[in-house]
Amino acid sequence: QPPAFSGAKPAAPRAAATGRAAMAILPQGTCELLKAFITFDSEATKAAEKKLDEALESAPDQVVAELVAVLAASGEGGAPVDLRQEAAVLLRQCVKAKSKKWVLPKLALQTKLGLKNQLLASMQQETSNPVRRQVAEAVSMLASNVAEDFNELMAEWPELMPGLASIIGQAANPNHVTVCLSVLKELVSLVGEELLKGSQAQTMLKNCLSTGSPAEVRAEAAKLVFKYIEVLEVEMSQPLGPLMHEVCTAMKSLAESSTELELKEVIEELVVAAGEEPEFFKENGLIELWRLLIEICKASHWADEDVRHSAMEACMSFAEGLCEDFCKPEGLQFLEELICLNVEWMLEVQDVEQWMAKAESPEEDYEIDADEVEIGEENLDRLAETCCENDQLEDVFLPALFKVLRAALAAPVADWKCARSCVMAISQVAEYITEEEWIDQCVTFLIPFTSNQHPRVRYSALQAVGQVAYDHDEYLQENHHEVILPTILRGLEDENIRVATNAASCFSSFGDDLDEDYLEPHLEELMTKLFKRLQEGKTKTMMETCLSAIAVASEAAQELFQPYYGHVMPVLKNIITDAKAEDMRKIRGKAFECISLVGAAVGKETFTQDAHAIMSIMMGHFQAGFAADDQTREYVHEAAGRIATVLEKDFKPYVPSMLPNIFAVLQQKPAEIDADNPQLEDEEDEMATTDVDGKLVGLKTSVLDEMSETLRLITTLMEALSDDFAEFLQPTCAVLLPLLEFPLSAEVQEGAFGVWQEVVDCARATSDKGKCDRVIVAQLVAEFLKKTVLLMAKLPEDMKEQGSSELENLQAQATAVANVIKSAGKGVLAKSDVVDMVKVLLELLNRLGVAEKEPAEVVRSSTQRSKVNGDDESEEEEDDDDDGEVSRQSVRFSLIDIIGALMRMSQAEYMEVGLPTFMELVKKFLQPNEPDVSKCLALYIAADVVQSLEERSVPYWNVFMETACNSITDKCPAVRLYSARLVGYGAKQQIFAQIAPLAASKIAAVLQKHGERHRRRRAANAEAKQVAASVDSAIAALGMICEYQEKNLGSDSTEGWKLWLRHMPPRCDREISQQANHQLLELVNRPHNIVTAPEQLPRVLEVFAQVYKTRLSNSVLDKEIAAAVARAGAGTVQNFVVNFPERQQKKLDMMLKDGSTTQ
């Protein structure tokens, strides 16, 4: 058996040489030093800290020996408790690796021995619990730093384990036993595996868990068991399985006695263990534990609410870790019970009086309701997300949720709190739904509650409808506008101002993607009610929300808003004039925002006069500057940008007056700060800091936010003025240049990159019109590359040092370089520039390497990655933020995008000095033994080569094309995607005929396996998104093969076209979808004999109905689709769509109407 728990009883720990016999002789100097550490005098503490550090450097043995002496002086006439406690704290720091007080390696053997002996002695002899706990921490720290495993610990500190065993075995004092168990808990990773090899450890734990042991001992023993489970592998911790009943019994006894603190700590340890090793509990005591946890959650008598909160978190940890088991028939009762419990927690809300008190600050509702309400809502969100990730949301979780909700509402005791709880449950989970039938069911469930008698239910129902509209934009607007718009209009008349406010907020969410044809029948009533509420001004929150809703209505209505413009604009201008009070700043800012959006909706001709009037007011803001906390700043910046976009070159007269303030904001430099200044912690505004040349410098985050906003404004001004901005380029560049290597904020630096791209665009446009020399463009590019490439070269060579910030910076820099090169146009870079760039890129790719077990992933397209800090990013990109996360692969792709830019802008030079080298890289990465992540990179490079060089790429096809064709059916979705993309680009070339049939058959296999699910469900979890992206790529590639290789497919071409149409449109990647939809439109306009055959036209019309005025289309494509449908004629269209769903028929009617007005 392990020596620590062998049969013979070890001797009690010996006191150190400085023990009780010497207690009366204390080192007075050390005592005075310790007193300084516990004083409230910061200067005295700082001086003591410095003195101690100097002493540890010059005489570590003496300092440690004297601290040991103080610790040992625990008897009568000895050191006070607070000094002993501080001595224990400092001793722990002295033996802690990486602490600046770490002196353990410097200590003499005798000093170490005295330290170890005294720490063990104090574990048993110390009378103060706080001191004993600090001693225990010092023991754990020392043991962890003298040994890496059990055997080494026994060699380095042979007395420790026998000493702990002796104290626990004697069980003379529960405080002593508890502290020894806590040491064992901290040392589980060091000694746990060895201790569990014998039966003594289990026996010891069983004794400590028994009902005869004091509560604190049982609690500490249970925590030790859970620590074992957390740290050790499942097979190593199996000997603890038989103890789980004793653990549950101990926890139950703690719950039944007045030991809430101990119970809470045990449950918190359980939470961690359940999160790390849920499978252990599935085999050992889960049901008994679960029942106990549920009882604790349901009980309301706890003085400390964290007890039940921790129990709930433990249940959630089991549900998340064992999701697949909970979703099986035998585990479904646990899932339903947990859903029900969280819904019950959401009942603990306050009534109307307290709730109405928050009418001006609805975001603070959580302050009036019990914490359990917020916890319950968050937990339902977590459960839905987990089930979604495990592909169990629609099949298991949603049926269980609706079962619980309907049962709750049907109960005799169901009241308004129950109704609100059920409504919010739907709101929390809607985000993860992928099947349209369930979205429909959510809307059907929610709408009746918008008319509930209780205002808090109506409020929550409108909030939930708005949330579903936000989560499922376009689908909800297209399919439920007939129900939701009247519901919103009814809500705007609600007698309760908070409910009416939420109705306006609901419209802001719903109206964002609302087609003007759906809005038109309700527009007059909507504007009348919003105007009435705005002018009533009952609350500032209502006024702000109405301004947002009016802005959304104008964006949705477009030219239909013209009749309301004359009524709206004077009111908005009056608000700007009158809302000057400090507490009205946000309303004034919202009015600026609303004016600019209304102006953009009605167009330049209508808006020009008012635009100049508003700009006259705005100029006062720009000339005066903005305070750091001025809420109008961001609104004014964005409004000015929108007005510039409308006025275009007519905005130019305002620019000279705006630029001084803009430049002043951007010229703010980080200042040196004192890190020890206590006032820094008292600052309400956070400070961003960094080390520059050994000095700590910083700026307030509000300043950095203002700088980012200002950079976005400059970008907008340059886009609006185009070459008319040329006269402002020189001062703009002078201000921008230092920001290209701004040390404090990646966002500011990326913003500067984006503006520099616009600078190059502007210079190029000016040069093309003969207004400036082309040399200026080359100079701007050279200056940018000089700065940026140096920054890129700072990537650490060691992969371990390449953290997230380094990768994010490199991706931003690489994206900016590619964009600037493309903006400059052809012929700007010399051959030597291309040579240098190729060398840098190869070196960076080599440094990035491939991390161990790095997953292959689908990376957003170069166009999407280029939208850094774009004003319209939220509109242009998918809602899924995680798709935009920086990874090692996305950084590699960004570097390859530079190669793509070189291929397009300096083709001859690149083909000579870069292409052969990168083709060797492609060849290497496509070898069978290479990981998928390398194959994806090779295929991405090859696709760029084929797309850019077209027939000039053919000599290199032997390197990659056959591999790509065979990889279309690869098991990895990312490999499938990039293979299909490459094949699609290659299909345009005549030589592709040799493999066209094989490629088409491979793509058909992919679509037959994954296509139907892709059509039926919206991808929600990460894995589904990868698969969906690969299906999109396959659809696009099949379309290219069918069009460009139709003759070479022979009789299979008809089936190929049918398969393509059946799976159209691509749904995941907007860029791919728009390209494929444009291809379909061109084939219809041609017309193509198969695509426009009578049996295929219904499917073509169905695709057009699916994409028209959605994110899968764009304004130009919408116009052309409508025109094509209108040319077919209403009668022809109606004949084909007679069996279409009502919503698709209405969409086609809309196309017929829109198309007829443009002909």
Side-chain angles (χ1 to χ4, degrees):
Q1 302 294 339
F5 292 94
S6 57
K9 280 192 174 183
R14 293 182 294 118
T18 51
R20 297 184 180 278
M23 281 181 189
I25 309 173
L26 289 171
Q28 292 304 313
T30 300
C31 289
E32 293 301 317
L33 198 67
L34 293 172
K35 289 178 183 178
F37 273 103
I38 58 179
T39 184
F40 291 105
D41 186 342
S42 59
E43 291 300 319
T45 301
K46 189 183 294 186
E49 186 84 36
K50 182 179 179 182
K51 187 174 181 180
L52 177 62
D53 289 344
E54 291 172 351
L56 285 170
E57 183 66 30
S58 60
D61 285 290
Q62 181 181 346
V63 173
V64 169
E66 293 184 359
L67 289 172
V68 166
V70 174
L71 179 62
S74 60
E76 185 177 349
V81 169
D82 52 359
L83 294 192
R84 300 202 307 276
Q85 185 172 348
E86 188 62 29
V89 170
L90 293 177
L91 286 171
R92 175 172 54 83
Q93 294 175 1
C94 288
V95 299
K96 180 182 178 181
K98 297 183 180 180
S99 165
K100 67 177 183 179
K101 292 181 173 61
W102 190 38
V103 294
L104 187 60
K106 301 178 183 179
L107 298 179
L109 185 61
Q110 192 61 33
T111 307
K112 291 180 183 179
L113 182 61
L115 172 61
K116 293 173 183 176
N117 287 339
Q118 184 53 55
L119 289 175
L120 269 179
S122 294
M123 291 273 289
Q124 190 167 21
Q125 298 168 2
E126 176 59 57
T127 56
S128 165
N129 284 336
V131 178
R132 193 184 301 108
R133 284 193 291 268
Q134 290 296 334
V135 170
E137 290 186 23
V139 169
S140 304
M141 191 66 65
L142 179 56
S144 299
N145 282 291
V146 299
E148 295 184 358
D149 57 37
F150 180 86
N151 292 330
E152 189 175 357
L153 180 63
M154 292 304 298
E156 291 290 329
W157 196 351
E159 300 87 2
L160 176 60
M161 298 304 291
L164 295 176
S166 174
I167 298 172
I168 296 171
Q170 291 172 9
N173 186 318
N175 292 325
H176 296 163
V177 175
T178 300
V179 83
C180 289
L181 290 171
S182 73
V183 171
L184 287 176
K185 181 166 72 74
E186 295 304 314
L187 297 180
V188 163
S189 59
L190 200 66
V191 304
E193 184 177 335
E194 192 68 28
L195 293 183
L196 287 185
K197 288 180 180 178
S199 61
Q200 279 79 7
Q202 294 93 302
T203 302
M204 177 268 292
L205 286 168
K206 190 170 185 177
N207 291 336
C208 292
L209 289 165
S210 67
T211 54
S213 295
E216 59 266 38
V217 173
R218 279 178 282 155
E220 201 64 42
K223 287 157 64 177
L224 176 55
V225 170
F226 291 143
K227 178 60 74 171
Y228 271 119
I229 297 168
E230 172 200 345
V231 173
L232 301 183
E233 297 293 332
V234 175
E235 58 272 15
M236 296 298 177
S237 56
Q238 282 305 317
L240 298 173
L243 290 177
M244 290 310 299
H245 174 69
E246 281 78 7
V247 171
C248 290
T249 302
M251 291 176 64
K252 189 173 183 181
S253 67
L254 292 173
E256 292 170 349
S257 58
S258 301
T259 50
E260 289 190 15
L261 176 61
E262 289 83 357
L263 177 61
K264 183 182 74 170
E265 291 177 350
V266 171
I267 298 174
E268 287 171 350
E269 201 71 56
L270 169 60
V271 169
V272 180
E276 287 293 326
E277 295 292 349
E279 292 292 331
F280 173 89
F281 295 95
K282 185 172 73 171
E283 303 297 331
N284 299 286
L286 175 60
I287 294 177
E288 188 177 3
L289 259 177
W290 181 265
R291 294 296 168 220
L292 175 60
L293 292 169
I294 293 294
E295 288 179 17
I296 294 172
C297 289
K298 289 182 175 181
S300 58
H301 64 272
W302 307 108
D304 184 354
E305 285 294 304
D306 283 345
V307 173
R308 67 194 298 234
H309 295 171
S310 298
M312 174 64 86
E313 185 59 30
C315 291
M316 287 297 299
S317 296
F318 284 129
E320 290 173 323
L322 300 172
C323 179
E324 290 188 6
D325 296 284
F326 274 46
C327 290
K328 292 176 180 177
E330 58 269 24
L332 197 54
Q333 60 174 328
F334 297 106
L335 179 62
E336 291 179 358
E337 191 170 23
L338 186 55
I339 292 173
C340 185
L341 184 58
N342 278 291
V343 171
E344 287 176 3
W345 275 30
M346 292 160 61
L347 298 173
E348 300 184 30
V349 292
Q350 296 297 323
D351 213 328
V352 175
E353 186 175 342
Q354 297 96 320
W355 177 69
M356 283 302 298
K358 294 293 182 181
E360 287 289 17
S361 51
E363 69 280 357
E364 297 177 5
D365 278 354
Y366 68 90
E367 293 182 357
I368 61 168
D369 294 330
D371 291 341
E372 286 75 12
V373 176
E374 185 177 6
I375 293 171
E377 292 174 0
E378 289 179 356
N379 284 349
L380 289 178
D381 185 290
R382 288 168 58 185
L383 287 172
E385 182 178 17
T386 302
C387 289
C388 179
E389 290 173 351
N390 286 272
D391 205 17
Q392 299 288 343
L393 186 81
E394 280 89 358
D395 295 335
V396 177
F397 178 78
L398 288 177
L401 175 66
F402 273 91
K403 176 183 175 182
V404 168
L405 299 186
R406 291 189 175 107
L409 292 168
V413 295
D415 58 3
W416 72 266
K417 293 183 179 182
C418 178
R420 182 205 166 275
S421 180
C422 293
V423 163
M424 288 308 298
I426 299 298
S427 180
Q428 290 301 115
V429 307
E431 172 187 356
Y432 305 101
I433 298 175
T434 61
E435 293 184 358
E436 294 174 352
E437 292 83 356
W438 280 108
I439 301 173
D440 297 339
Q441 191 168 159
C442 287
V443 175
T444 302
F445 182 89
L446 291 172
I447 291 298
F449 291 103
T450 61
S451 302
N452 190 275
Q453 291 185 348
H454 199 282
R456 289 208 66 175
V457 177
R458 299 197 299 275
Y459 176 92
S460 296
L462 286 164
Q463 179 179 325
V465 171
Q467 184 64 51
V468 178
Y470 176 81
D471 292 331
H472 301 282
D473 56 334
E474 294 185 0
Y475 177 80
L476 214 70
Q477 285 79 350
E478 181 179 340
N479 295 284
H480 293 282
H481 60 275
E482 292 179 341
V483 173
I484 292 177
L485 283 171
T487 298
I488 292 171
L489 292 171
R490 187 171 60 249
L492 286 170
E493 294 182 324
D494 200 290
E495 62 184 5
N496 184 286
I497 191 64
R498 290 202 63 180
V499 176
T501 302
N502 236 19
S505 178
C506 181
F507 176 77
S508 294
S509 297
F510 185 73
D512 244 354
D513 288 287
L514 189 63
D515 189 273
E516 63 264 28
D517 289 340
Y518 300 147
L519 179 60
E520 185 177 11
H522 308 278
L523 184 57
E524 183 174 352
E525 185 180 357
L526 174 70
M527 291 305 302
T528 300
K529 291 180 176 179
L530 288 174
F531 243 69
K532 178 184 176 184
R533 287 295 190 179
L534 176 64
Q535 293 181 304
E536 284 174 352
K538 286 188 177 180
T539 66
K540 292 191 288 294
T541 304
M542 172 57 99
M543 292 180 69
E544 293 164 9
T545 309
C546 284
L547 288 168
S548 295
I550 291 170
V552 169
S554 70
E555 285 188 286
Q558 292 297 305
E559 67 271 10
L560 295 177
F561 200 80
Q562 289 279 1
Y564 307 96
Y565 180 83
H567 302 285
V568 171
M569 194 54 63
V571 174
L572 297 177
K573 290 163 74 174
N574 286 339
I575 290 175
I576 288 174
T577 303
D578 298 340
K580 294 181 178 179
E582 187 73 22
D583 63 345
M584 297 291 282
R585 278 186 172 184
K586 188 174 181 181
I587 290 176
R588 195 166 195 241
K590 282 279 187 181
F592 277 125
E593 175 188 59
C594 188
I595 286 173
S596 65
L597 288 167
V598 168
V602 299
K604 183 175 180 179
E605 184 178 347
T606 302
F607 183 49
T608 294
Q609 184 176 346
D610 289 314
H612 287 298
I614 295 301
M615 282 309 304
S616 298
I617 298 173
M618 281 192 187
M619 294 316 298
H621 286 280
F622 278 102
Q623 290 165 358
F626 298 92
D629 61 346
D630 192 339
Q631 290 181 301
T632 62
R633 182 194 71 213
E634 184 175 359
Y635 292 113
V636 169
H637 279 177
E638 292 181 355
R642 290 192 197 96
I643 293 173
T645 301
V646 175
L647 296 181
E648 298 174 310
K649 293 187 177 184
D650 291 341
F651 191 85
K652 184 177 178 180
Y654 302 106
V655 175
S657 299
M658 294 171 66
L659 286 179
N661 174 266
I662 287 173
F663 291 161
V665 170
L666 297 178
Q667 286 171 325
Q668 297 177 92
K669 292 180 171 55
E672 185 175 356
I673 58 177
D674 180 7
D676 297 325
N677 184 355
Q679 291 183 349
L680 284 177
E681 298 181 3
D682 299 331
E683 291 280 354
E684 290 185 8
D685 195 7
E686 293 181 9
M687 181 79 73
T689 62
T690 190
D691 186 83
V692 176
D693 298 328
K695 297 179 180 179
L696 188 67
V697 299
L699 273 176
K700 290 183 176 180
T701 53
S702 60
V703 172
L704 298 176
D705 291 341
E706 185 180 16
M707 293 175 75
S708 295
E709 291 166 16
T710 303
L711 287 166
R712 289 195 289 271
L713 177 58
I714 292 182
T715 300
T716 306
L717 295 179
M718 295 179 75
E719 290 172 346
L721 269 62
S722 186
D723 57 299
D724 272 14
F725 197 88
E727 65 186 81
F728 309 114
L729 284 182
Q730 186 175 353
T732 301
C733 290
V735 173
L736 280 178
L737 203 57
L739 297 180
L740 296 180
E741 44 187 351
F742 193 70
L744 271 179
S745 168
E747 185 178 355
V748 170
Q749 190 181 57
E750 291 168 20
F753 291 160
V755 176
W756 201 277
Q757 180 188 344
E758 293 298 329
V759 166
V760 174
D761 267 333
C762 180
R764 178 185 172 186
T766 308
S767 171
D768 290 345
K769 293 183 178 181
K771 296 181 181 180
C772 77
D773 198 308
R774 185 76 169 162
V775 173
I776 293 177
V777 180
Q779 290 174 345
L780 289 170
V781 174
E783 192 66 46
F784 181 80
L785 293 180
K786 177 182 174 183
K787 291 269 188 184
T788 313
V789 174
L790 281 175
L791 292 173
M792 293 168 65
K794 292 182 179 180
L795 179 74
E797 294 185 13
D798 188 346
M799 288 174 59
K800 294 178 181 178
E801 297 178 11
Q802 296 169 7
S804 58
S805 61
E806 286 78 13
L807 294 177
E808 287 169 5
N809 289 340
L810 180 56
Q811 178 165 310
Q813 293 151 5
T815 301
V817 168
N819 289 340
V820 166
I821 292 173
K822 286 186 282 189
S823 294
K826 296 181 179 179
V828 170
L829 295 180
K831 179 179 176 180
S832 59
D833 297 326
V834 177
V835 170
D836 292 341
M837 185 62 70
V838 167
K839 288 180 180 177
V840 169
L841 294 174
L842 287 170
E843 171 60 24
L844 289 171
L845 287 169
N846 183 56
R847 287 189 198 177
L848 284 167
V850 176
E852 186 179 357
K853 296 182 180 180
E854 181 180 346
E857 60 183 3
V858 175
V859 177
R860 293 198 305 173
S861 71
S862 59
T863 304
Q864 293 168 330
R865 293 196 304 275
S866 295
K867 295 182 186 296
V868 178
N869 290 331
D871 291 338
D872 60 349
E873 184 175 6
S874 62
E875 298 171 4
E876 293 295 324
E877 299 305 324
E878 299 291 336
D879 294 332
D880 308 294
D881 296 337
D882 57 330
D883 289 346
E885 289 180 356
V886 173
S887 64
R888 304 186 75 80
Q889 187 75 320
S890 70
V891 176
R892 295 186 197 98
F893 279 27
S894 296
L895 294 173
I896 299 306
D897 290 342
I898 299 176
I899 295 298
L902 293 175
M903 276 191 283
R904 291 165 176 80
M905 301 300 121
S906 303
Q907 191 172 105
E909 293 83 357
Y910 175 75
M911 288 188 70
E912 179 184 350
V913 302
L915 185 57
T917 302
F918 275 92
M919 284 299 99
E920 285 298 317
L921 196 64
V922 169
K923 184 177 180 180
K924 173 189 172 185
F925 285 166
L926 289 180
Q927 295 302 308
N929 59 335
E930 288 290 326
D932 287 340
V933 67
S934 297
K935 292 178 183 176
C936 289
L937 183 62
L939 293 164
Y940 185 81
I941 296 171
D944 214 359
V945 169
V946 173
Q947 184 187 30
S948 303
L949 303 183
E950 298 180 326
E951 72 275 3
R952 301 179 75 178
S953 69
V954 171
Y956 293 97
W957 279 27
N958 286 337
V959 173
F960 51 75
M961 192 58 76
E962 184 178 357
T963 302
C965 190
N966 289 321
S967 298
I968 291 172
T969 53
D970 194 272
K971 63 181 181 180
C972 172
V975 173
R976 294 200 301 268
L977 183 150
Y978 296 113
S979 297
R981 179 179 296 178
L982 171 53
V983 165
Y985 291 149
K988 292 184 177 183
Q989 306 308 316
Q990 188 175 357
I991 195 175
F992 190 82
Q994 300 173 17
I995 57 171
L998 175 63
S1001 67
K1002 292 278 188 180
I1003 291 173
V1006 170
L1007 294 180
Q1008 287 162 3
K1009 183 175 182 178
H1010 301 287
E1012 186 58 35
R1013 180 181 178 85
H1014 176 63
R1015 289 179 56 201
R1016 189 166 56 90
R1017 289 189 177 185
R1018 178 177 65 92
N1021 59 39
E1023 182 180 354
K1025 289 175 185 176
Q1026 302 267 317
V1027 173
S1030 71
V1031 172
D1032 275 3
S1033 189
I1035 295 170
L1038 181 60
M1040 301 302 286
I1041 293 171
C1042 287
E1043 179 173 0
Y1044 291 96
Q1045 300 293 329
E1046 186 170 14
K1047 293 180 181 179
N1048 298 307
L1049 293 179
S1051 59
D1052 291 335
S1053 63
T1054 300
E1055 292 304 314
W1057 282 120
K1058 290 179 180 178
L1059 183 66
W1060 181 65
L1061 282 172
R1062 189 158 64 248
H1063 289 91
M1064 281 286 287
R1067 297 177 60 185
C1068 180
D1069 189 306
R1070 168 197 294 242
E1071 191 175 344
I1072 287 177
S1073 186
Q1074 291 183 4
Q1075 291 168 359
N1077 296 329
H1078 184 264
Q1079 180 187 11
L1080 175 60
L1081 178 65
E1082 286 190 332
L1083 291 166
V1084 170
N1085 288 336
R1086 204 176 288 176
H1088 188 277
N1089 63 323
I1090 298 177
V1091 173
T1092 58
E1095 62 269 22
Q1096 300 303 329
L1097 274 177
R1099 178 59 190 147
V1100 171
L1101 292 170
E1102 188 178 3
V1103 173
F1104 284 163
Q1106 285 179 312
V1107 305
Y1108 187 66
K1109 292 191 175 180
T1110 71
R1111 67 178 185 84
L1112 303 181
S1113 182
N1114 54 52
S1115 57
V1116 174
L1117 191 54
D1118 286 338
K1119 185 176 180 180
E1120 293 177 354
I1121 288 174
V1125 173
R1127 281 195 298 272
T1132 303
V1133 170
Q1134 292 302 330
N1135 286 336
F1136 281 119
V1137 304
V1138 65
N1139 294 320
F1140 277 24
E1142 182 182 357
R1143 64 176 182 269
Q1144 290 188 354
Q1145 292 189 30
K1146 289 183 177 180
K1147 198 73 166 290
L1148 285 160
D1149 288 342
M1150 185 193 306
M1151 285 185 259
L1152 286 167
K1153 175 186 172 184
D1154 295 347
S1156 63
T1157 60
T1158 59
Q1159 288 184 339

